[in-house]
Amino acid sequence: MKKIVLAASLVASLTVSSFAQETLTVISFGGDYGKAQKKHMIDPFVKQSGVKVFFDDYKGGSAELKAQVSTGQVKWDVIDMEYVDLEKACNENLLERIDPSFLPKGDDGVDAKDDFYPMAINECAIGNIFWATAFAYNEKFIGDVKPTTMNDLFDLKKFPGKRALKKRAQINLEWALIADGVAAKDVYDVLETDEGIKRAFAKLDTIKDSVIWFDSWSQAPQLLNDGSVILAQAANGRLTQFTVVWDGQAFDLDGWAIVKGTKNLELAKKFIASSTSSVPLSGMKDVNYGPTRKSGTKLLTAEEQNKLPTAHLEEGFKVDSGFWSDYGTELNEKFNAWLLKK
Amino acid sequence: MQTYKYQNVFPKDETIKILLSELKVLAKERNSGVLSEELNRMVPGFGSVIKKTSRKIKKIDIENIESYKDFLLNISKRWENPKYWMTIKRANDGFTLSYVLSALDLEFNIEGKIVQKDESLRIYLPILLKTLYMAFLITLITMILAYPTSYYLASLPKSKANLLMIFVLLPFWTSILVRIVSWITLLQQKGVANDVMMYFNIINQPLDMMFNQFATIITMTHILLPFMVLPLYGSMRSVDQTYIRASSSLGANPFTTFFKVYFPLTVPGLSAGAILVFIISVGYYITPALVGGIDGQMISNMIEFHMRTSNNWELASAMGGILLIITITLYWVYDKLVGVNSLKLG
């Protein structure tokens, strides 16, 4: 009896796997951003191709990616990466090189290579949004004086209370320097020197006791919402229900990258081609992220365009992914040691 | 590289030439990033030197370089530091102690001797000691809370005790995440506890009770309490009441009866509970991660950080090994002092 059951289950498992639908695993950041991506990028692709998509979340960074590639257990196919992490992952040979020739023309018939903003076509990824890291406050808890500059984030007298920042060196060091008087365009030159690093940490020291450090972007709106913090750093798309302070915004791209060694390479390209065409890209305006194609921007009204980080470029700076690829490991180590010291 | 000794300060030209041509091959295959990450783990800051060098060398014909030394120093002054050269040499060995040393805040200096790390980089040893301290504190608090509870439960008739036992077991069976999130709701800045105390004017400013060491200790105590109550209750139930009566009728006062007769009979249960709680809390991870903030982090959170974020698996396993050795040593000491055979889980 046991043998029959065993054989039957064996047969069942074999047939199931051989008739399994094609499945593509796509990894992104979840939250409202994930919802918008599902609506505008995943669902239309599923409908049109009949491919099953498993859409899941991660916290960012390249560690899990590295673990999968170096152990040969590749479970992810396409992954949404911040360009700060992308550069490093690309250098470490964790991602497939992408030849952009497979990308379709824009809605207005312009060739993909002219339609995409130049930054969006990367050796290892195709840009899917323009976004920014900024800080915001909740009108309910802020009081009469409202923050307007990066200084205010570091001013405990003017704005007493906790601040929420993402637990990593990126952006926080840049912001510390800006609040300390460095011009946004010079931030990376200063941060390249030992004195610059010391200066940034010294500035962070002034608010160290008032910071709640979070791991995942989704925690920031939560902390603002229940009043646990008065100011919070987040990706601007997570802050739609709060008031964003654009001063010192760190402007960047996200892109779809393909995990090295995936079995679904062609399918992954198909997905990227479909999800970075003009209409899906313009849909990301739902969470105030900008399209990476000019033809996508054309689909937005002037009012919609005004809410995007691209409308506030003069107030901030572009995150330098080359810098973070070179110094990221070192600065994050220093950052962690700093964090654990009293 | 094997022949390099730090006294020479700067290696010979042939050595540099080999290094550069190897770097060039790596850079062309786009694998230099892998090497730089590897070396960066041994000496923080080395990674960017390797990356810069390999980016430069990619475009240059090595034969045309006049002075290798000037070429390297032009790219980065850091090449002057013999520490980097020693690291390359050491990276050649298949077997290394440096991760175990790192986990104890030690390192090799350029002469190959083991020394303490720079003051600002010593983080693992303090956090290891803090972990042991917090585990000890949690064990102590659970003991204090569980002893009277178990005593009360054990003194009731069985049917009533079983009913009340549900209140101990119900949280025990509830998901740990649910219990942690309830503590967050209670203790956060605008949480229930602060609101109630503000309402009754006990405090004028909300207290900081979440995302710190206090939160970790209180939440873990709650989660681990049943591990103490259950063995204690078991051992108290099995105490033969005739001993107590005999002690009283022989003229002992209640205190003497308790300390001379009752307490020693419950020690097996108490120590079983203590060992359980201590060992579980030394390796506890999820609670400090969620409610601990920075100050309430324990060693397991650092291990997780190196497993999943910094991808330094070597260091993570060294830290895990040290934790295991400490736990086994403590268990051994316990065995010598109290004896494992006397353990009783009810």
Side-chain angles (χ1 to χ4, degrees):
Chain A
M1 186 58 198
K2 247 189 191 162
K3 267 187 191 155
I4 297 171
V5 174
L6 205 67
S9 62
L10 202 64
V11 169
S13 67
L14 281 176
T15 46
V16 165
S17 60
S18 56
F19 286 109
Q21 223 179 343
E22 279 185 301
T23 309
L24 189 71
T25 306
V26 180
I27 301 297
S28 182
F29 293 90
D32 287 346
Y33 176 47
K35 273 184 216 151
Q37 278 184 327
K38 183 155 187 344
K39 182 172 162 204
H40 297 286
M41 294 176 164
I42 309 276
D43 289 348
F45 172 72
V46 172
K47 215 180 216 177
Q48 157 214 330
S49 66
V51 175
K52 209 169 134 195
V53 173
F54 177 63
F55 187 47
D56 205 6
D57 301 348
Y58 85 131
K59 294 195 299 191
S62 61
E64 278 165 277
L65 176 68
K66 189 172 175 181
Q68 290 191 14
V69 175
S70 58
T71 56
Q73 307 272 326
V74 176
K75 296 198 179 78
W76 296 349
D77 300 317
V78 179
I79 156 172
D80 184 324
M81 290 191 88
E82 291 179 37
Y83 272 30
V84 270
D85 297 327
L86 181 73
E87 200 73 29
K88 189 173 166 217
C90 196
N91 271 335
E92 286 188 50
N93 220 0
L94 302 174
L95 300 169
E96 296 282 348
R97 312 280 142 191
I98 297 179
D99 172 11
S101 59
F102 68 92
L103 296 169
K105 285 181 178 172
D107 266 13
D108 47 5
V110 177
D111 256 355
K113 70 176 193 320
D114 299 320
D115 192 18
F116 274 96
Y117 294 100
M119 275 183 266
I121 297 192
N122 183 286
E123 198 182 348
C124 286
I126 304 299
N128 58 8
I129 53 163
F130 278 111
W131 65 287
T133 311
F135 73 96
Y137 55 88
N138 189 343
E139 294 284 355
K140 244 178 21 195
F141 300 117
I142 194 73
D144 294 331
V145 193
K146 296 184 178 172
T148 50
T149 67
M150 190 47 69
N151 271 329
D152 295 338
L153 183 69
F154 288 81
D155 193 336
L156 289 174
K157 278 201 197 100
K158 212 162 145 196
F159 299 98
K162 299 264 174 193
R163 287 102 168 91
L165 298 174
K166 191 162 184 189
K167 204 199 287 176
R168 61 172 180 180
Q170 284 98 312
I171 319 293
N172 295 321
L173 292 182
E174 286 103 312
W175 279 9
L177 287 179
I178 290 176
D180 206 34
V182 176
K185 64 174 171 36
D186 303 328
V187 157
Y188 291 103
D189 293 335
V190 176
L191 210 49
E192 217 166 0
T193 62
D194 284 342
E195 300 80 59
I197 296 171
K198 277 200 192 106
R199 193 170 158 190
F201 280 117
K203 188 71 187 175
L204 280 175
D205 266 333
T206 60
I207 56 166
K208 191 173 183 184
D209 293 336
S210 303
V211 177
I212 292 179
W213 300 96
F214 59 84
D215 280 317
S216 156
W217 283 126
S218 58
Q219 285 167 277
Q222 216 176 307
L223 290 165
L224 267 183
N225 200 32
D226 62 29
S228 296
V229 299
I230 185 122
L231 302 169
Q233 173 191 65
N236 72 299
R238 310 250 172 197
L239 299 169
T240 41
Q241 39 172 334
F242 308 107
T243 314
V244 177
V245 179
W246 287 104
D247 187 54
Q249 65 136 321
F251 173 67
D252 204 4
L253 282 86
D254 264 18
W256 292 122
I258 303 175
V259 180
K260 184 107 190 166
T262 164
K263 292 185 198 84
N264 299 317
L265 183 59
E266 286 314 308
L267 211 54
K269 280 185 178 171
K270 238 189 197 169
F271 169 75
I272 292 178
S274 144
S275 63
T276 60
S277 50
S278 315
V279 178
L281 286 179
S282 68
M284 302 317 286
K285 63 139 202 306
D286 288 4
V287 283
N288 293 347
Y289 291 146
T292 48
R293 277 184 190 252
K294 288 163 202 154
S295 60
T297 314
K298 276 186 202 158
L299 296 172
L300 304 179
T301 64
E303 192 198 338
E304 282 166 345
Q305 288 186 31
N306 209 19
K307 284 187 190 157
L308 304 179
T310 15
H312 305 273
L313 284 186
E314 297 77 46
E315 293 153 70
F317 62 97
K318 163 86 179 68
V319 179
D320 186 342
S321 43
F323 175 88
W324 282 111
S325 165
D326 279 358
Y327 296 100
T329 315
E330 179 185 353
L331 288 179
N332 270 306
E333 251 163 49
K334 285 203 172 127
F335 177 78
N336 279 311
W338 170 81
L339 212 54
L340 289 167
K341 283 268 163 193
K342 287 262 169 179
Chain B
M1 214 53 238
Q2 284 308 327
T3 54
Y4 176 73
K5 292 209 179 63
Y6 94 102
Q7 287 91 340
N8 306 356
V9 178
F10 217 82
K12 293 193 193 96
D13 272 3
E14 303 102 84
T15 321
I16 304 180
K17 197 173 162 189
I18 295 170
L19 177 78
L20 286 177
S21 45
E22 281 174 356
L23 265 184
K24 190 167 179 156
V25 176
L26 281 178
K28 284 215 166 123
E29 290 167 356
R30 291 198 131 273
N31 267 327
S32 57
V34 183
L35 173 73
S36 71
E37 288 299 312
E38 201 68 42
L39 292 173
N40 201 52
R41 258 174 236 158
M42 303 194 158
V43 179
F46 202 176
S48 44
V49 177
I50 292 281
K51 271 182 205 155
K52 255 189 176 168
T53 313
S54 53
R55 210 164 39 215
K56 287 266 162 65
I57 195 74
K58 212 164 139 187
K59 299 163 201 146
I60 290 173
D61 191 358
I62 296 174
E63 298 300 329
N64 291 343
I65 300 171
E66 276 173 25
S67 159
Y68 292 115
K69 187 174 171 179
D70 290 346
F71 175 76
L72 283 182
L73 290 182
N74 247 333
I75 294 170
S76 171
K77 280 267 173 279
R78 288 183 175 178
W79 278 117
E80 221 166 22
N81 191 341
K83 191 160 98 177
Y84 292 122
W85 296 102
M86 287 307 288
T87 311
I88 298 185
K89 184 176 173 181
R90 214 174 307 118
N92 247 333
D93 303 339
F95 184 80
T96 175
L97 251 181
S98 52
Y99 295 107
V100 180
L101 293 181
S102 244
L104 293 169
D105 290 337
L106 302 168
E107 65 181 354
F108 286 112
N109 66 1
I110 46 175
E111 285 148 56
K113 282 193 190 121
I114 295 170
V115 291
Q116 272 207 317
K117 275 192 182 175
D118 185 58
E119 168 79 56
S120 66
L121 294 171
R122 279 179 225 157
I123 49 176
Y124 299 122
L125 208 55
I127 208 169
L128 187 63
L129 294 176
K130 189 165 80 179
T131 306
L132 294 175
Y133 161 76
M134 278 166 72
F136 178 74
L137 202 62
I138 289 163
T139 313
L140 201 70
I141 300 173
T142 47
M143 269 186 192
I144 294 168
L145 290 175
Y147 205 87
T149 316
S150 316
Y151 180 78
Y152 178 66
L153 283 175
S155 67
L156 289 174
K158 233 195 168 135
S159 60
K160 247 188 184 167
N162 281 344
L163 193 69
L164 287 178
M165 207 57 186
I166 291 177
F167 291 106
V168 176
L169 290 174
L170 214 55
F172 191 54
W173 292 329
T174 317
S175 154
I176 284 183
L177 277 179
V178 172
R179 279 183 278 167
I180 294 173
V181 173
S182 344
W183 277 108
I184 296 180
T185 325
L186 271 175
L187 297 182
Q188 68 191 2
Q189 282 253 309
K190 297 238 160 26
V192 180
N194 267 326
D195 280 356
V196 169
M197 286 194 284
M198 299 261 277
Y199 181 80
F200 288 110
N201 284 328
I202 300 171
I203 48 172
N204 340 318
Q205 280 237 318
L207 295 176
D208 259 336
M209 295 186 289
M210 213 355 92
F211 307 119
N212 52 25
Q213 200 170 331
F214 174 78
T216 307
I217 288 175
I218 201 169
T219 314
M220 278 177 66
T221 303
H222 174 222
I223 287 168
L224 296 175
L225 197 54
F227 288 99
M228 186 68 90
V229 173
L230 293 175
L232 257 182
Y233 174 73
S235 71
M236 285 176 178
R237 265 276 168 223
S238 58
V239 171
D240 196 334
Q241 290 300 321
T242 51
Y243 291 160
I244 315 293
R245 263 177 265 136
S247 155
S248 309
S249 64
L250 286 172
N253 65 27
F255 285 105
T256 323
T257 307
F258 179 79
F259 284 110
K260 284 260 155 81
V261 180
Y262 191 78
F263 185 73
L265 286 171
T266 60
V267 161
L270 190 66
S271 48
I275 275 213
L276 266 178
V277 172
F278 186 83
I279 290 179
I280 295 175
S281 43
V282 158
Y284 224 64
Y285 154 70
I286 187 76
T287 311
L290 287 174
V291 303
I294 295 304
D295 169 40
Q297 298 292 298
M298 295 169 81
I299 195 83
S300 47
N301 302 98
M302 291 312 291
I303 296 177
E304 189 265 1
F305 171 78
H306 286 301
M307 283 301 289
R308 292 195 11 162
T309 309
S310 80
N311 245 31
N312 196 344
W313 292 353
E314 294 85 352
L315 184 56
S317 60
M319 286 161 76
I322 288 170
L323 192 60
L324 182 65
I325 290 169
I326 290 176
T327 316
I328 291 176
T329 315
L330 286 175
Y331 186 75
W332 178 77
V333 170
Y334 171 84
D335 187 29
K336 286 281 155 211
L337 291 180
V338 187
V340 177
N341 292 333
S342 68
L343 274 190
K344 219 169 160 192
L345 291 170

